[in-house]
Amino acid sequence: MIETDILIIGAGPTGLFTVFEAGLLKLKCHIIDALPQPGGQLAELYPKKPIYDIPGLPDILAGELVTNLMEQIKQFQPGFTLSETAETIDKLEDGTFIVTTNKGTKHHAKAIAIAGGLGTFEPRKPEIDRISFYEEKGVEYFVKDPELFRDKKIVIAGGGDSALDWSIFLADVASKVTLIHRRNEFRGALDSVEKLQEYKKLGYVNLITPAEVVSLHGEDHLNAITISKDNNQKTIETDYFIPLFGLTPKLGAIAHWGLEIEKNAIKVNNALDYQTNIPGIYAIGDVNTYPGKLKLILCGFHEATLMCQSVYQRLNPGKKYVLKYTTVSGVDGFDGTRKEAEKAVVKAID
């Protein structure tokens, strides 16, 4: 059983920033996310796309924002349950909750913050016969551990940032990397497209366009695929097939927790603290809805801040918290570190 003050469901930017605001209040956080790494959409869909509306940062790459958020919360030592989805919830008599994931991991929390962005991300699967049979038998929709592909032959399909970046990265891991895209043009960061072009010339990546995978082969494990190019079909040997066609957001099991739902979003009390209709359960970021809602990262940061204040009062009834700016109070990390401004020096000037 994982014990925590606040269980955060969703490791996107809003969920990550919640750890910092909770840490200032000495509240411990643990995060559940269906993806294999923190960052949500920013890490999985557009890590190399710039974001222009983060205060104080004229522009920052989405992946860099995730890196910065992870560095910011490191001092508060959050726990992570990755590659798992929150499945069931039980509210105990003392008002706390037990949340169990699809893999049976149990979490005991005093409060829950649903920060799931647009919901649980599910991979968009190509319509290929028997593809479900080969899942985890050679078909992978995420690169959870690059070492799985060490010295293996792999085929990647897709034309976005993920397909480009993983083709380039795995060229140094796998024995052979083949990238297949149904168009000649790629929709990705310019430096990634240029590097792939270089890798193709050097023979590090076998690029086949325009083409698509039409069938999979193998008895117990994938060992070959058939591709269609220029109305001709060709079968090539491979150990793994990784289709990277993006992710589909769904609210998932959370939709059955008894929360008030409106248009696939969770209704909250935005006049006070972004609490749902179930006391102790909050929803922040893109996953919630209320009059005037704007789905912006900076709005999620604001909601996370007010929510943490509410959780503090819930867990410490009657205890008055005096808000101090971090420029005055400093920041005390759970790891023993302390960040504070240099003390003023009183000294006469001759």
Side-chain angles (χ1 to χ4, degrees):
M1 183 78 73
I2 295 172
E3 300 281 347
T4 190
D5 293 320
I6 303 177
L7 180 65
I8 302 168
I9 300 174
T14 296
L16 295 177
F17 187 67
T18 300
V19 176
F20 179 79
E21 288 298 321
L24 295 178
L25 299 169
K26 308 301 181 187
L27 300 176
K28 184 75 174 176
C29 293
H30 190 92
I31 303 179
I32 298 175
D33 199 279
L35 295 175
Q37 74 283 318
Q41 295 182 69
L42 274 64
E44 188 63 29
L45 297 184
Y46 47 90
K48 293 192 175 182
K49 295 291 178 64
I51 300 173
Y52 299 105
D53 58 358
I54 303 300
L57 298 171
D59 65 83
I60 184 171
L61 297 183
E64 289 182 7
L65 179 58
V66 172
T67 299
N68 290 350
L69 286 166
M70 290 294 289
E71 180 64 25
Q72 186 178 29
I73 68 176
K74 181 173 64 175
Q75 60 198 318
F76 295 121
Q77 301 177 315
F80 288 91
T81 299
L82 300 175
S83 299
E84 299 185 32
T85 57
E87 197 77 17
T88 62
I89 185 170
D90 296 292
K91 190 168 186 178
L92 306 182
E93 291 183 2
D94 62 358
T96 62
F97 304 88
I98 292 180
V99 174
T100 306
T101 70
N102 59 321
K103 295 185 179 179
T105 307
K106 292 185 179 294
H107 308 75
H108 182 215
K110 299 171 184 175
I112 294 175
I114 302 173
L118 299 175
T120 299
F121 288 111
E122 296 183 4
R124 290 194 178 98
K125 303 179 181 181
E127 295 182 2
I128 302 175
D129 287 344
R130 300 185 72 217
I131 190 168
S132 59
F133 170 80
Y134 291 106
E135 290 172 1
E136 298 187 3
K137 300 176 185 176
V139 171
E140 301 286 341
Y141 300 106
F142 301 105
V143 180
K144 300 176 183 178
D145 180 9
E147 285 302 312
L148 177 66
F149 310 105
R150 173 70 63 184
D151 300 326
K152 302 292 185 181
K153 296 186 291 289
I154 65 172
V155 172
I156 296 174
D161 282 315
S162 292
L164 290 166
D165 292 345
W166 281 121
S167 295
I168 293 167
F169 181 89
L170 293 174
D172 294 326
V173 176
S175 62
K176 183 178 182 181
V177 175
T178 299
L179 176 59
I180 297 172
H181 184 38
R182 61 179 180 269
R183 298 186 182 91
N184 290 319
E185 301 81 19
F186 288 85
R187 187 183 296 273
L190 179 60
D191 63 331
S192 295
V193 176
E194 291 177 345
K195 190 161 189 176
L196 181 69
Q197 180 72 32
E198 179 186 353
Y199 273 34
K200 176 190 175 184
K201 290 180 179 178
L202 294 172
Y204 297 161
V205 174
N206 178 30
L207 182 63
I208 304 177
T209 61
E212 60 182 329
V213 178
V214 294
S215 60
L216 310 175
H217 312 283
E219 292 188 11
D220 300 322
H221 193 281
L222 182 72
N223 59 32
I225 63 164
T226 296
I227 62 173
S228 176
K229 177 176 169 59
D230 300 328
N231 295 320
N232 295 315
Q233 292 193 351
K234 176 183 177 182
T235 299
I236 59 176
E237 294 183 355
T238 189
D239 298 303
Y240 288 95
F241 173 48
I242 311 173
L244 298 173
F245 297 135
L247 303 170
T248 301
K250 292 184 178 180
L251 207 51
I254 293 174
H256 307 293
W257 284 8
L259 301 167
E260 193 172 352
I261 307 294
E262 183 179 282
K263 295 181 180 179
N264 205 41
I266 303 170
K267 292 185 68 174
V268 296
N269 172 13
N270 70 305
L272 186 62
D273 55 11
Y274 305 98
Q275 197 160 191
T276 68
N277 58 304
I278 300 178
I281 301 181
Y282 302 77
I284 52 177
D286 289 357
V287 77
N288 74 13
T289 185
Y290 53 82
K293 169 69 179 182
L294 292 177
K295 294 188 176 184
L296 296 172
I297 294 174
L298 62 92
C299 293
F301 290 167
H302 163 78
E303 294 167 9
T305 304
L306 296 186
M307 182 218 75
C308 287
Q309 295 288 328
S310 176
V311 173
Y312 179 86
Q313 294 299 329
R314 175 182 172 82
L315 303 187
N316 301 278
K319 185 176 181 180
K320 188 175 181 179
Y321 173 74
V322 179
L323 176 66
K324 292 183 180 180
Y325 302 115
T326 53
T327 50
V328 175
S329 64
V331 177
D332 290 307
F334 294 173
D335 57 1
T337 60
R338 175 166 177 77
K339 297 178 181 177
E340 62 181 334
E342 292 184 7
K343 302 296 183 184
V345 176
V346 179
K347 182 178 173 64
I349 299 177
D350 296 330

